Amino acid sequence: MIEMKGIEDTEPTRIEVGEATSAPSKKRRLRWYLFLVGLVMIVIGGSIGLYAGYLAGMELRRQAENDLIVMNAVQQFERGVVDLEDGRYLIARQRFEFVISLDPNFPGVKEKLTEAMIAAAIVHTPTPEPTPTLEPTPDLRGEEELFLQIQQNLQNEEWAHAITTIEKLRDKNLQFRPIDVDGMYYIALRFVGVENILNQGQLEVGIYNLTLAERFAPLDIEAVNFRNWARMYLSAASYWAVDWAEVVRRFADIYPALPNLRDASGMTATERFRIGSIRFGDQLMTQEKYCDAQIHYQNALSLANDETASAALTQAIEYCQNPPNQEPEEEPTPPTETPTLAPGVTETPSAETQTPTPPTPTNGGGGG
């Protein structure tokens, strides 16, 4: 006899067949997903590698260009030193100027350029023979005498006289040995500018002298530094009696390096810092910043004795430790409590608060 299976017996069989058929499709989808992810990662990795290689190539190219510039600058500098030692000053000057055009910060090139210009100006270079012309040869004896005088001024370090003579020579004949005259003009302007800044107290004039010299050739590091200090001094002095805090801050940077640097007023950087510290301390005292004022008074007294500053310092120390105008707080007076009466008790006024009863009038005498 054939047994008939119920619905309950056939349903598990259909579920098992469905699960068996769906498993391979899920595996195929997973493999395709992993394949696409791997492909995308390969593309991204390749792009990053190409970009990194491009950047590395550009960096190598820039490095090669910089190496070439440095090598060229070194060669020209070394040849310029040889030319300078052999007396070929004009060629050495051209080489040093070329090195500066390649690298303005090349070590030692500005000093060598200055040395070449000084040597070219002091050494008397023979004047080349003029080409014969039909025109009469001008008499240059006046120019030659002025030229020799300029050389003598430079050798004697008479910079101001040299500038005056150069201007006379240029007024007489602007085309007379212009390269040599420019070199001497540069030297005179450079040294007179430094002298005006350091020794004469003419900071504006010295800055102007160095700026004119810079038109002929780059300034050496020392001259540039002196010009910067002069500008810093003038800038700091512009705050005088206007902003004492700024005066102290700016001259604190100047006076340790150049304590005797001064302007037309004759006040040195050290003196300006000292006086500015006292004035700033006074200002802080009025603002009740006694401990800060103490520091600035001490800075001023470390540079020079000053009775006024010493007395102010003593007061600042005292007020810093025990600030004035701080009276002790008074204890609050406790409020007066009003006595509470028991119920039914009427308060009897005291003798002081009772209203006096007027006396009852009586008849006078014994009768009537």
Side-chain angles (χ1 to χ4, degrees):
M1 177 179 289
I2 300 172
E3 295 180 359
M4 299 297 291
K5 295 181 178 181
I7 296 174
E8 293 81 359
D9 298 334
T10 58
E11 285 181 353
T13 304
R14 287 198 302 270
I15 293 173
E16 293 176 358
V17 173
E19 290 178 353
T21 56
S22 61
S25 62
K26 291 181 178 179
K27 292 181 179 179
R28 284 195 298 269
R29 285 196 299 270
L30 181 59
R31 284 196 297 268
W32 275 104
Y33 176 76
L34 294 177
F35 173 75
L36 291 176
V37 171
L39 182 61
V40 171
M41 295 297 294
I42 292 173
V43 173
I44 295 175
S47 301
I48 295 175
L50 289 175
Y51 183 69
Y54 170 77
L55 293 180
M58 292 297 295
E59 183 63 25
L60 290 175
R61 181 178 178 181
R62 285 194 294 266
Q63 186 64 35
E65 293 177 352
N66 292 335
D67 292 342
L68 183 61
I69 293 175
V70 171
M71 185 181 301
N72 196 6
V74 171
Q75 292 177 352
Q76 292 298 323
F77 179 79
E78 292 176 350
R79 293 177 182 177
V81 172
V82 174
D83 292 331
L84 181 61
E85 294 175 352
D86 293 342
R88 297 186 292 272
Y89 305 122
L90 296 181
I91 297 177
R93 173 183 175 179
Q94 293 174 359
R95 292 190 188 277
F96 295 141
E97 290 175 348
F98 178 71
V99 172
I100 291 176
S101 67
L102 294 178
D103 183 6
N105 297 321
F106 192 91
V109 66
K110 292 183 179 180
E111 290 77 4
K112 287 296 181 183
L113 175 60
T114 303
E115 184 179 347
M117 296 182 67
I118 293 175
I122 294 179
V123 175
H124 180 71
T125 306
T127 306
E129 297 180 0
T131 304
T133 58
L134 298 177
E135 298 179 358
T137 304
D139 186 2
L140 301 180
R141 287 178 298 179
E143 288 86 338
E144 288 289 351
E145 292 176 0
L146 293 174
F147 189 85
L148 293 175
Q149 182 180 346
I150 296 169
Q151 287 184 324
Q152 188 65 38
N153 293 144
L154 294 179
Q155 291 177 357
N156 296 336
E157 298 184 357
E158 300 170 346
W159 315 118
H161 293 302
I163 292 175
T164 303
T165 309
I166 290 172
E167 292 173 351
K168 290 181 181 179
L169 176 58
R170 286 191 162 183
D171 292 339
K172 187 176 183 63
N173 187 351
L174 187 61
Q175 301 301 323
F176 182 82
R177 303 179 65 172
I179 296 178
D180 295 332
V181 174
D182 286 349
M184 293 189 294
Y185 202 17
Y186 169 83
I187 296 168
L189 287 171
R190 187 269 183 201
F191 283 99
V192 77
V194 173
E195 182 179 359
N196 283 328
I197 291 174
L198 293 184
N199 301 326
Q200 303 301 324
Q202 300 178 1
L203 303 184
E204 296 89 344
V205 178
I207 293 172
Y208 177 73
N209 296 144
L210 295 178
T211 303
L212 288 181
E214 202 170 23
R215 296 181 179 180
F216 297 95
L219 292 174
D220 58 282
I221 296 177
E222 186 180 39
V224 171
N225 289 337
F226 286 141
R227 183 173 62 180
N228 290 338
W229 286 117
R231 288 172 175 170
M232 290 174 61
Y233 184 104
L234 294 174
S235 178
S238 65
Y239 293 94
W240 193 258
V242 177
D243 189 341
W244 293 116
E246 196 67 17
V247 169
V248 172
R249 186 182 70 82
R250 290 175 177 261
F251 278 104
D253 295 332
I254 300 173
Y255 89 90
L258 292 176
N260 295 321
L261 184 65
R262 67 182 190 277
D263 60 357
S265 68
M267 294 182 65
T268 64
T270 303
E271 186 66 8
R272 284 192 180 272
F273 176 77
R274 188 185 72 84
I275 296 177
S277 298
I278 297 174
R279 298 292 180 267
F280 188 39
D282 296 340
Q283 178 180 329
L284 292 173
M285 289 290 288
T286 61
Q287 298 173 358
E288 299 183 356
K289 298 179 180 179
Y290 308 116
C291 298
D292 294 337
Q294 174 185 341
I295 296 174
H296 292 285
Y297 287 139
Q298 289 172 342
N299 290 339
L301 290 171
S302 67
L303 298 175
N305 293 326
D306 189 304
E307 294 182 359
T308 303
S310 180
L313 174 61
T314 302
Q315 187 178 35
I317 294 174
E318 179 183 354
Y319 285 179
C320 179
Q321 296 174 353
N322 300 302
N325 301 328
Q326 291 188 2
E327 299 179 357
E329 297 182 358
E330 296 182 357
E331 296 182 359
T333 304
T336 304
E337 296 182 358
T338 303
T340 304
L341 298 178
V345 178
T346 305
E347 180 181 4
T348 303
S350 60
E352 290 81 2
T353 59
Q354 289 180 351
T355 303
T357 303
T360 302
T362 58
N363 293 329

